[in-house]
Amino acid sequence: MPDEIAVEIAPDQKVTATVYPAAKREAAGITLILGHGAGAGQKSAFMVSFATALAARGIDTVTFNFLYMEQRRRLPDSKDKLEACYRAVIETVARRKRGGKLAIGGKSMGGRIASQVAAGDAPQVAGLVLLGYPLHPPGKPDQLRAKHLSAIKAPMLFVQGSRDTFGTPDELAPILGKLKAAELFEVAGGDHSFKVLKRAGVSQEDTYKAVQERIDRWLRQTLRA
C-alpha cells in the first residue's frame, strides 16, 4: 500500500510525498521520483496510475505535491521555489531508501523542473524519465526550454506523444541527437498526456501499458541496478 510522508521545504513549509513500494518479487532496486504537471497534483489519475503500475513492475515510485499545489493555489511557484521543493524531496527520499539507484522525472512541468535540478548539482541522480517534456509553450516553437539539457550528465528517457502541442518527437529529436545519453520513445497518436484518438485502433489502457513497460525496461537496462 502507498505510504505518505512529509517533506520539509523550510521550517514552516512542508509538502506531502507518496511512496509506492515495489512489488518484492519484481524489485529492481531502483527508486523513481515523479513530479506532477502544472495543472494537476500527485493524486491526479495520470500520476496515480503510472506510479501504481511502475511499482507493480518492481520500481519503487515516489510522487509529491509542489508547494503551491499542497497549499491549493492555482498558479505554480517561481522556478527557484519549484526547484527547491524538488531538491528537498530528493534529499528526503535519498535518506529513506536503502541502497539502489535513484532516478527523477515527471509529467510536463514536473519533468522540466527535474531536468533543471539535474542540470545543476544533483550527484544522487542516476537517470531521468521525462513524460511529455514541455519543449515550448503551445503555438510558440521559438521559445525553447532546452538549453540546460546539455548540462545533464545522467542518461535521460523522453516519452513524447506524436500530437503533443508542447513539442512533438520530431521537434525533440534534433535536440536530443546532440546529447550524449538521451533516448526518445514516441507514443504514436498520443497527446501531451499520451491520450490517443479512438480511430487510432489501440486502447488507452494498452497505450499506457506500452509506456510503462518502456520506462521499466529502460530503467533496468540503463541504470544496471
Side-chain angles (χ1 to χ4, degrees), residues 50-137:
F50 268 70
T52 301
L54 290 170
R57 285 171 168 77
I59 305 298
D60 287 293
T61 307
V62 181
T63 64
F64 67 96
N65 279 333
F66 284 104
L67 188 59
Y68 78 94
M69 188 64 68
E70 188 84 357
Q71 296 176 344
R72 299 183 180 181
R73 291 184 281 112
R74 293 183 62 185
L75 296 178
D77 292 315
S78 66
K79 169 182 171 292
D80 289 346
K81 289 183 178 180
L82 292 170
E83 291 180 7
C85 180
Y86 210 127
R87 288 192 184 93
V89 174
I90 291 173
E91 291 171 1
T92 299
V93 172
R95 286 197 302 267
R96 286 174 56 91
K97 75 184 188 72
R98 299 177 180 178
K101 300 291 182 65
L102 175 65
I104 65 174
K107 182 183 187 297
S108 191
M109 182 197 75
R112 177 170 63 89
I113 298 304
S115 69
Q116 290 169 188
V117 169
D121 185 19
Q124 312 100 315
V125 175
L128 289 92
V129 176
L130 308 172
L131 310 176
Y133 185 78
L135 181 62
H136 58 70

Side-chain angles (χ1 to χ4, degrees), residues 60-218:
D60 287 293
T61 307
V62 181
T63 64
F64 67 96
N65 279 333
F66 284 104
L67 188 59
Y68 78 94
M69 188 64 68
E70 188 84 357
Q71 296 176 344
R72 299 183 180 181
R73 291 184 281 112
R74 293 183 62 185
L75 296 178
D77 292 315
S78 66
K79 169 182 171 292
D80 289 346
K81 289 183 178 180
L82 292 170
E83 291 180 7
C85 180
Y86 210 127
R87 288 192 184 93
V89 174
I90 291 173
E91 291 171 1
T92 299
V93 172
R95 286 197 302 267
R96 286 174 56 91
K97 75 184 188 72
R98 299 177 180 178
K101 300 291 182 65
L102 175 65
I104 65 174
K107 182 183 187 297
S108 191
M109 182 197 75
R112 177 170 63 89
I113 298 304
S115 69
Q116 290 169 188
V117 169
D121 185 19
Q124 312 100 315
V125 175
L128 289 92
V129 176
L130 308 172
L131 310 176
Y133 185 78
L135 181 62
H136 58 70
K140 300 179 180 179
D142 56 321
Q143 297 182 19
L144 295 179
R145 301 160 173 153
K147 188 175 181 180
H148 68 286
L149 296 178
S150 61
I152 299 175
K153 297 178 181 179
M156 295 172 275
L157 172 65
F158 289 78
V159 181
Q160 207 79 3
S162 62
R163 297 187 298 115
D164 194 335
T165 57
F166 286 79
T168 65
D170 287 344
E171 290 177 285
L172 263 175
I175 295 171
L176 303 189
K178 298 176 182 179
L179 306 180
K180 291 183 178 179
E183 186 172 326
L184 177 61
F185 179 73
E186 179 175 344
V187 183
D191 66 5
H192 191 50
S193 296
F194 313 143
K195 291 182 179 179
V196 294
L197 301 174
K198 291 183 178 179
R199 66 172 181 266
V202 61
S203 71
Q204 192 62 58
E205 181 181 2
D206 286 344
T207 298
Y208 281 166
K209 281 184 177 179
V211 173
Q212 292 153 2
E213 288 171 1
R214 186 70 192 99
I215 294 170
D216 176 37
R217 188 166 66 252
W218 183 85

Side-chain angles (χ1 to χ4, degrees), residues 3-65:
D3 179 32
E4 291 192 347
I5 60 174
V7 177
E8 185 175 290
I9 311 301
D12 59 342
Q13 295 179 336
K14 294 182 180 180
V15 298
T16 304
T18 305
V19 180
Y20 296 78
K24 290 184 178 179
R25 287 192 296 180
E26 305 295 334
I30 298 169
T31 299
L32 172 63
I33 302 174
L34 292 174
H36 61 75
Q42 67 168 331
K43 296 302 183 182
S44 68
F46 182 97
M47 295 296 293
V48 172
S49 66
F50 268 70
T52 301
L54 290 170
R57 285 171 168 77
I59 305 298
D60 287 293
T61 307
V62 181
T63 64
F64 67 96
N65 279 333

